[in-house]
Amino acid sequence: MASEKRVVFRSGWLPWALLAPQVIVILVFFFWPAAQALLQSFQQSDAFGISTEWVGLQNFENLLKDDTYLASFQTTAVFSVLVAGLGIGISLVLAVFADRVVKATLIYRTLLIWPYAVAPAVAGVLWLFMLAPSIGVVSYALRGLGIEWNSLLNSTHAMTLIVLASVWKQISYNFLFFLAGLQSIPKSLIEAAAIDGAHPWRRFWTIQFPLLSPTTFFLFVINVVYAFFDTFAIVDAATQGGPGKDTAILVYKVYYDGFKALDLGGSAAQSVVLMVIVIALTVVQFRFVEKKVQY
């Protein structure tokens, strides 16, 4: 039995020196802002941050009395389920088809990866132009089908717009992992099942999909976090939370109340609640969903 290889550092300070840059980044850009947000959630400041008053849990109590904030929970839940579900499902289908392509494989895969290089704000503007009521190419085609598309006035249309933009932006990321997972599955397993008479759908459902469960679980966690945090720029560029507040997801409301309404304490309280929700969802996923993952 081969002995396990270990890296041995001659000096005791070198491992800490190598870890220091990453630790500093985490402390400065995560723990310090989180601590500041937690502190500010118990305070009330003026618009310029000059005077500060300790108010305890009043900011959190005000959130429970705010109907628009409570409504944003439902908006965020619907948005997150659609983004995570559609993003993972479409990416998996594309990866399965791309894995079977024989000719021009590099071209197909490159085209499917390109959207990931697009900034979220650009993705929001792109879909906003395509679905603009007056000049949009897609909205013009929908009018030909008898559908009067107007994301400026129709809440369902506005939600569809940001979901499409968010899913399109994340498809490439999911696609890369699914494709890598499919290519890591031994071809001998697929060929043996084919010889036994299993049709393509059965081979996928009984062999490939169970072996992709670790990848699917990882992408599920990533997509939920993405829907909660990384879609802010898309919402801001495409709908700005409108019409009304019907597409104001939690992360956008944190920005709006803090930077436009200038309610710094309330915005900080919202960010703390959002952080707790995402951490709780992640813990639940690892605690319960991971049990069904086949490693």
Side-chain angles (χ1 to χ4, degrees):
M1 182 177 180
S3 59
E4 182 181 356
K5 294 183 179 180
R6 295 183 179 180
V7 177
V8 179
F9 294 93
R10 297 181 178 179
S11 57
W13 59 268
L14 183 56
W16 298 106
L18 295 174
L19 287 174
Q22 185 64 38
V23 172
I24 292 174
V25 169
I26 293 175
L27 290 175
V28 172
F29 293 101
F30 180 77
F31 285 104
W32 175 252
Q36 287 294 309
L38 182 61
L39 175 63
Q40 292 178 8
S41 67
F42 297 104
Q43 300 175 339
Q44 188 63 50
S45 305
D46 62 2
F48 300 99
I50 298 176
S51 61
T52 302
E53 179 184 358
W54 183 267
V55 294
L57 296 175
Q58 182 179 341
N59 289 322
F60 294 96
E61 294 174 358
N62 293 337
L63 292 181
L64 298 177
K65 300 176 183 177
D66 186 355
D67 293 335
T68 59
Y69 178 69
L70 298 178
S72 67
F73 274 93
Q74 180 180 356
T75 302
T76 305
V78 173
F79 175 74
S80 301
V81 170
L82 290 174
V83 170
L86 291 175
I88 292 176
I90 295 174
S91 302
L92 179 58
V93 172
L94 292 175
V96 170
F97 281 109
D99 187 48
R100 297 178 180 178
V101 172
V102 178
K103 297 182 179 180
T105 304
L106 183 61
I107 296 176
Y108 284 110
R109 293 175 182 176
T110 302
L111 292 175
L112 289 171
I113 293 172
W114 268 356
Y116 191 63
V118 178
V122 176
V125 172
L126 175 65
W127 281 89
L128 176 63
F129 270 98
M130 289 195 298
L131 291 167
S134 57
I135 61 174
V137 176
V138 178
S139 60
Y140 176 79
L142 291 175
R143 280 198 300 271
L145 299 175
I147 301 175
E148 290 297 329
W149 180 274
N150 192 337
S151 58
L152 300 177
L153 300 176
N154 191 300
S155 302
T156 303
H157 294 175
M159 177 61 73
T160 304
L161 168 60
I162 60 174
V163 168
L164 287 174
S166 301
V167 169
W168 177 80
K169 175 68 178 69
Q170 188 70 359
I171 276 180
S172 299
Y173 183 87
N174 300 335
F175 169 80
L176 283 173
F177 282 90
F178 275 131
L179 184 60
L182 287 170
Q183 291 179 341
S184 66
I185 298 175
K187 298 297 182 183
S188 58
L189 296 177
I190 310 299
E191 294 171 355
I195 294 173
D196 290 339
H199 51 78
W201 170 250
R202 186 171 180 81
R203 293 198 299 267
F204 170 77
W205 191 249
T206 58
I207 298 176
Q208 291 177 302
F209 187 70
L211 293 176
L212 284 175
S213 57
T215 303
T216 305
F217 173 72
F218 166 76
L219 290 177
F220 179 64
V221 175
I222 293 297
N223 277 261
V224 169
V225 176
Y226 164 77
F228 270 84
F229 287 108
D230 295 343
T231 52
F232 160 76
I234 293 176
V235 175
D236 186 45
T239 65
Q240 295 184 348
K245 299 294 182 183
D246 292 334
T247 58
I249 59 177
L250 289 173
V251 67
Y252 183 80
K253 199 170 189 313
V254 170
Y255 156 78
Y256 184 89
D257 288 356
F259 289 90
K260 291 189 175 182
L262 299 178
D263 182 10
L264 302 182
S267 177
Q270 292 179 42
S271 67
V272 171
V273 172
L274 180 59
M275 180 174 60
V276 171
I277 291 174
V278 173
I279 292 175
L281 286 175
T282 304
V283 170
V284 169
Q285 289 167 3
F286 275 93
R287 179 67 176 82
F288 298 101
V289 180
E290 192 182 20
K291 291 183 177 179
K292 300 181 180 180
V293 175
Q294 302 178 16
Y295 290 99

